[in-house]
Amino acid sequence: MTLQHIERTASIGPREGYGLPTELLRLAGRTSARILSRYGVLLGFLGLWQVAASSGWVNAAVLPPVDTIVAALWKGLAGGSLLGDIAISLQRAGLAFAAAVLVAIPLGLMMGQARAVETALDPILQLFRQTSALALYPVFILLLGLGEASKVFVIFWATLFPLLLNTISGVKEVDPKLLEMARAYGARRLTIFRRVVLPGAVPSIFVGLRLGATTALLLLIASEMIGANKGIGFQVMNAQYNFQIPLMFAAIVILAALGLIANQALVILQRRLCRWSNQVG
């Protein structure tokens, strides 16, 4: 072994020895930068909230510290007191959302393709769409009572229109050149619908689904605040009446988490069904 070979080995050794830690540090730095760029403002907001409430800048009885809210959330979930409320709220919102999907998507596809159907139904749909579901809630209570039926129906009513309008819009926005090409190749109407119209409308339908899921959760809160004795919306009002402010915020956090989960699930489903589309975000 020559002197040159020994020097070369000695110079390479430390680099090889320190290569892995250096790469790990770089990876950790890049990951931290991505997290901060995406969640930095949120983390800063929560940190400011914690400091303001803990330092007495705001009334901690009205705006409790973040750690107190987290403790109340953990206690409610671990003790099981909030799990039943989550289950009943998901049942109400899920049933109403599923009913809206079953009604709105077929009706929207029909109205988007058949001008006569759209002409006949559009005036009454526009009238109902401009009427707030909360304004009609007393009517639903009079007709259906204070039980589950009125709560589910008001959520269904509010969820129906975003999904219906986006489905109609998606059908109308299908590229006319694709339709002409399909007709030129002799495709039948059913084939054109299955292979051209429906795939072209799917991205807009998913926009309606995401808006509908958000609307369902918003109306869920309102419906559970009137004449309910179970549910996350009921817990928000009940905790406020009993001045259990940390529990109230914990219930609000659960509602926000349910909305985020529902939205993300629809985004993932859309990405799998619409790999050819760049409209997912």
Side-chain angles (χ1 to χ4, degrees):
M1 182 180 294
T2 63
L3 183 60
Q4 272 187 335
H5 183 70
I6 294 173
E7 290 177 351
R8 193 182 308 117
T9 304
S11 63
I12 293 174
R15 292 180 186 175
E16 291 178 348
Y18 289 103
L20 185 58
T22 302
E23 186 63 29
L24 289 176
L25 287 174
R26 289 177 180 173
L27 180 60
R30 288 196 295 267
T31 303
S32 300
R34 284 198 297 269
I35 293 174
L36 287 175
S37 65
R38 184 170 180 82
Y39 301 106
V41 175
L42 175 60
L43 293 174
F45 169 74
L46 294 177
L48 179 62
W49 184 342
Q50 175 70 26
V51 171
S54 301
S55 303
W57 298 349
V58 296
N59 187 355
V62 177
L63 197 67
V66 176
D67 58 348
T68 305
I69 296 172
V70 172
L73 176 62
W74 173 255
K75 182 180 178 181
L77 293 176
S81 61
L82 290 176
L83 295 179
D85 295 301
I86 294 173
I88 191 66
S89 293
L90 287 177
Q91 179 181 334
R92 288 167 179 158
L95 183 60
F97 184 75
V101 169
L102 292 176
V103 173
I105 292 181
L107 183 59
L109 293 173
M110 185 185 303
M111 291 180 65
Q113 283 200 293
R115 186 175 295 275
V117 176
E118 182 185 9
T119 302
L121 296 180
D122 186 67
I124 190 170
L125 289 176
Q126 292 297 333
L127 174 64
F128 285 143
R129 184 174 74 91
Q130 300 301 331
T131 306
S132 170
L134 291 178
L136 292 173
Y137 191 30
V139 179
F140 299 152
I141 292 175
L142 289 174
L143 293 174
L144 303 173
L146 273 172
E148 293 298 307
S150 60
K151 294 176 180 57
V152 172
F153 194 79
V154 72
I155 300 170
F156 160 80
W157 188 265
T159 307
L160 178 70
F161 295 103
L163 185 51
L164 177 62
L165 294 176
N166 276 278
T167 303
I168 296 171
S169 175
V171 173
K172 290 185 173 182
E173 289 175 0
V174 174
D175 192 348
K177 294 181 179 179
L178 294 177
L179 297 174
E180 292 176 7
M181 186 180 298
R183 294 191 189 101
Y185 279 98
R188 297 181 179 179
R189 293 188 63 178
L190 182 59
T191 303
I192 294 174
F193 173 77
R194 289 176 52 247
R195 297 298 180 90
V196 181
V197 175
L198 189 57
V202 164
S204 184
I205 291 174
F206 268 97
V207 173
L209 287 170
R210 292 166 66 182
L211 290 173
T214 302
T215 304
L217 287 174
L218 292 175
L219 266 294
L220 173 69
I221 311 306
S223 66
E224 290 182 340
M225 287 180 176
I226 302 175
N229 57 9
K230 201 72 174 173
I232 299 299
F234 165 77
Q235 278 294 350
V236 172
M237 291 298 295
N238 188 57
Q240 188 244 340
Y241 286 147
N242 294 299
F243 212 70
Q244 297 174 309
I245 305 303
L247 179 60
M248 182 189 75
F249 276 102
I252 294 172
V253 169
I254 290 174
L255 287 168
L258 291 177
L260 290 172
I261 292 170
N263 181 74
Q264 191 60 34
L266 289 171
V267 168
I268 292 172
L269 181 60
Q270 182 179 357
R271 284 174 178 165
R272 293 193 175 184
L273 294 178
C274 308
R275 298 179 185 275
W276 44 269
S277 175
N278 294 322
Q279 300 180 23
V280 184

